[in-house]
Amino acid sequence: MGLMQLLRRLSELRKPTRKLRILLLGLDNAGKTTILKVIAKETQDKDQVEPTRGFNIKSVNSSGFRLDVWDIGGQRALRPYWKNYFEETDILIYVVDSADPGRLEESRVQLDELLVEDKLTGVPLLVFANKQDLGMALKADDISNDMKLTELTDRRWQIQPCSAKTEEGIADGIDWVLKSVKASSKN
């Protein structure tokens, strides 16, 4: 086998085997874009994040998967347009600002509306309880109870405490996503 053939084979082995479409949603200022930057390993400018006016897309290779992550703006005026991005979603990641308990009910209502959408039926859900680095942040268990996540029976779900600022918990959440997809593909 020649060097070029060997290099081609090695290149093929590194290519992701499966493409995943991930929808990253949540209220404005929850930390979605910063989480996206952490996932994409673009952490050099994560402290300079502007509110998303529309959407951001990043593709990341991880553990044999190509993750196409769609970060959609969470401002009230943009939320009616979220439905335009539901098609072929493999994973829903919903980000909650753990340090803003005053908006937890609004966040719960928005998530409830997402979970009854036909195009998102049965789609695994990861909830990032973001901003855990802040002293006033609610614990993930409290958020889970307040958002009634324990009542979900129609899909796999996980709540993951995290801090986009310190990056703690983000990799654990993505690991859960990959394990969830692998488990569902075995069934």
Side-chain angles (χ1 to χ4, degrees):
M1 179 181 295
L3 180 60
M4 289 306 290
Q5 288 174 319
L6 180 62
L7 291 174
R8 266 191 230 119
R9 283 238 171 140
L10 287 173
S11 174
E12 287 173 10
L13 291 174
R14 282 192 227 135
K15 287 183 183 176
T17 57
R18 183 162 175 210
K19 184 173 146 179
L20 293 179
R21 180 180 163 95
I22 299 175
L23 193 55
L24 182 62
L25 299 175
L27 302 184
D28 53 302
N29 200 38
K32 298 177 299 298
T33 303
T34 306
I35 287 173
L36 178 64
K37 288 182 174 291
V38 171
I39 293 169
K41 297 180 180 19
E42 296 177 1
T43 56
Q44 68 279 3
D45 61 346
K46 72 178 182 188
D47 295 328
Q48 315 279 325
V49 176
E50 296 288 322
T52 302
R53 309 245 186 256
F55 62 90
N56 296 305
I57 306 168
K58 300 283 182 193
S59 292
V60 179
N61 293 331
S62 181
S63 300
F65 289 90
R66 183 175 117 189
L67 311 177
D68 293 332
V69 185
W70 293 68
D71 161 28
I72 315 299
Q75 296 89 343
R76 190 179 307 273
L78 295 177
R79 292 180 211 158
Y81 299 102
W82 284 357
K83 65 181 175 244
N84 296 325
Y85 301 91
F86 294 166
E87 196 74 38
E88 298 181 21
T89 296
D90 296 302
I91 299 286
L92 174 60
I93 297 178
Y94 193 81
V95 182
V96 176
D97 182 344
S98 302
D100 191 355
R103 294 189 77 195
L104 193 56
E105 176 64 16
E106 180 183 6
S107 191
R108 184 192 61 77
V109 168
Q110 287 302 144
L111 180 59
D112 287 348
E113 288 178 13
L114 290 170
L115 297 178
V116 298
E117 288 287 337
D118 287 341
K119 292 180 180 174
L120 296 177
T121 300
V123 170
L125 169 69
L126 171 64
V127 176
F128 272 130
N130 192 24
K131 303 186 184 180
Q132 291 291 310
D133 56 304
L134 301 178
M136 72 287 263
L138 296 170
K139 300 291 180 210
D141 288 341
D142 295 331
I143 292 170
S144 178
N145 290 332
D146 290 348
M147 294 189 70
K148 301 179 181 163
L149 295 176
T150 56
E151 296 175 14
L152 292 178
T153 58
D154 65 336
R155 69 191 70 231
R156 285 189 174 101
W157 68 272
Q158 171 76 20
I159 186 162
Q160 176 64 51
C162 73
S163 167
K165 185 177 181 179
T166 67
E167 302 182 23
E168 189 173 337
I170 305 292
D172 294 332
I174 297 303
D175 285 345
W176 178 85
V177 164
L178 298 175
K179 287 176 186 170
S180 180
V181 169
K182 289 175 184 175
S184 66
S185 64
K186 288 181 183 178
N187 296 336

